[in-house]
Amino acid sequence: MISIHNEPQPTDLGDVRVANRAVVLRHVRLHAPCSRADIAATTGLNKATVSSLVTELLDRRLLRETGLTGNRVGRPATMLVLDGSPYAALGLQIGADDLVVVAVDPGGNRLLTWRRAFPAPTADPADTVRALVTLARRAIGRVTGQGRTVLGLTVGVPGLVDTAGAVPLASGLGWRDVPLAADLRAALRETGFTVTVDTDANLAVLAEQRHGAYAGATDLVHVTGGVSVGAGVLAGGRLLRGGRGHAGELGHLCLDPAGPPCPCGRRGCLAASTALPAVVARLLPDATHDGPVTDYLPELDRIVASARQEEPAVLAGLAEIGRQLGHGASILANLLNPEAIVVGGHFATLAPWLLPAARAELVARTLAPQAGGCRLDASTLDSAAPALGGATAALATIEAGRLPVG
Ligand SMILES: [Zn+2]
């Protein structure tokens, strides 16, 4: 079970009911359609408790009945599935050349995915916040227009995020000390829902755990590819945050002290040679002739086209970038022994040319045989994984058994 917040242990009957509600919702999410009797038999909750909780969840339209099934031993039973149609949760992400918003409902349905071109790495942080708020308002307008109540909104940032939702440093964006959560709350005013900020990598691994090829894994890493390179780590089913929330800065591991300068001010960081701007600069030396790149998608398309035409310099460059990615992955494998490391963003786009070299490097540099069983794969989620994870995270209070306000 994923716990992204440290839920207090139940201390009174109200807390017990909240915990039991979470157990029922989780059971239905994983096993729907299922009957009240199934829930009681599997969870160990008594039938009266299950019945009472299900009635409450039906009233709040977090569950719905799907009719009877006759294919069972004994009496036909009324089957239950997740509903959530009166609600929506939003996630946003700040990409290299776009902002993305995703909305989902508690039933797991994706309601919308919108992208807006925006050059965050060259924009003023205040302009980026304004653009995020505009996009969020449009998405809020759409889902509330459908009669839904917004439960929460989470924004993913490619950089450090502290426990108050401020961004002390996002070197890929050129940000320092941006009070992002506070700015968003002030701009959105009285929302009636929670507004939180997290790293894009943490949110992406939540999306992987729920919707990706390794859904359900308890030891899983998502490595983001974009203006920065970060690792979202699930260890033993829990998001690994560290003491102040700054775990997972894979991109700033120094792999080569004599390597190229990194936007963070150091040299030889993994991000200095494998983040999207570094990859474009290395493989397309002409890309910055007319000034900084603000639209990366066409550049990435050019790299893919060159790789498909087997241009030797591009293939050699991609193999070297793959080896560096594999080196970084081996550090994760040695420290964490995850079941899988999945790579997103431009690493997923370029996976056919990066991963063969990366996998060989991972195995060669990991002490345990066969990299400790760690798979290295491209994410099967689209490049909106952090926004999808943000929307998923915004459902956390419901999934923890707390009923929506109102
Ligand atoms: Zn660095």
Side-chain angles (χ1 to χ4, degrees), residues 30-365:
L30 296 176
H31 303 289
C34 53
S35 68
R36 290 165 177 79
D38 294 336
I39 298 170
T42 310
T43 62
L45 296 172
N46 73 49
K47 286 183 182 174
T49 302
V50 170
S51 181
S52 160
L53 291 166
V54 166
T55 299
E56 182 183 50
L57 292 166
L58 288 169
D59 283 349
R60 303 305 292 267
R61 293 173 64 193
L62 288 165
L63 295 180
R64 67 185 168 83
E65 294 180 332
T66 61
L68 301 177
T69 176
N71 300 326
R72 305 174 62 82
V73 178
R75 285 186 301 158
T78 304
M79 303 305 273
L80 300 161
V81 295
L82 292 180
D83 183 3
S85 53
Y87 309 105
L90 303 183
L92 288 94
Q93 71 187 51
I94 304 171
D97 55 9
D98 63 6
L99 305 176
V100 182
V101 62
V102 168
V104 300
D105 73 14
N109 302 300
R110 197 147 159 179
L111 305 174
L112 61 83
T113 303
W114 290 342
R115 293 171 189 280
R116 182 195 157 176
F118 187 81
T122 53
D124 185 78
D127 291 336
T128 304
V129 173
R130 264 192 292 279
L132 278 171
V133 167
T134 301
L135 188 59
R137 282 211 184 104
R138 281 185 52 208
I140 292 165
R142 170 64 66 91
V143 297
T144 55
Q146 296 169 342
R148 296 173 185 271
T149 300
V150 176
L151 298 171
L153 179 156
T154 306
V155 179
V157 182
L160 298 175
V161 177
D162 69 19
T163 49
V167 180
L169 181 68
S171 55
L173 298 176
W175 286 18
R176 195 173 279 280
D177 296 323
V178 176
L180 182 58
D183 285 353
L184 290 167
R185 288 179 196 129
L188 289 166
R189 301 206 183 86
E190 294 297 317
T191 57
F193 54 82
T194 57
V195 175
T196 52
V197 176
D198 207 335
T199 73
D200 56 358
N202 285 346
L203 298 178
V205 80
L206 289 178
E208 295 289 351
Q209 206 277 344
R210 184 63 62 87
H211 303 285
Y214 292 91
T218 55
D219 292 85
L220 184 63
V221 180
H222 178 106
V223 175
T224 58
V227 290
S228 187
V229 175
V233 176
L234 284 176
R238 294 184 75 88
L239 201 49
L240 193 73
R241 292 184 177 278
R244 295 189 179 181
H246 300 326
E249 284 301 324
L250 180 71
H252 299 284
L253 288 177
C254 177
L255 300 189
D256 176 8
C262 180
C264 75
R266 296 168 186 81
R267 292 194 83 86
C269 298
L270 178 64
S273 50
T274 66
L276 182 54
V279 169
V280 168
R282 173 176 185 152
L283 300 178
L284 301 172
D286 63 339
T288 52
H289 281 179
D290 300 325
V293 176
T294 54
D295 188 1
Y296 283 95
L297 204 55
E299 310 297 350
L300 212 46
D301 285 345
R302 284 171 64 202
I303 294 172
V304 168
S306 300
R308 285 197 178 128
Q309 288 163 13
E310 301 187 353
E311 285 182 23
V314 169
L315 291 182
L318 286 169
E320 177 56 25
I321 293 161
R323 279 191 286 278
Q324 287 162 327
L325 183 61
H327 186 173
S330 74
I331 295 170
L332 295 170
N334 277 316
L335 277 177
L336 301 164
N337 188 211
E339 183 179 331
I341 298 170
V342 289
V343 297
H346 68 287
F347 295 136
T349 309
L350 300 173
W353 302 280
L354 296 176
L355 289 191
R359 287 175 180 141
E361 197 75 6
L362 169 65
V363 170
R365 288 183 179 272

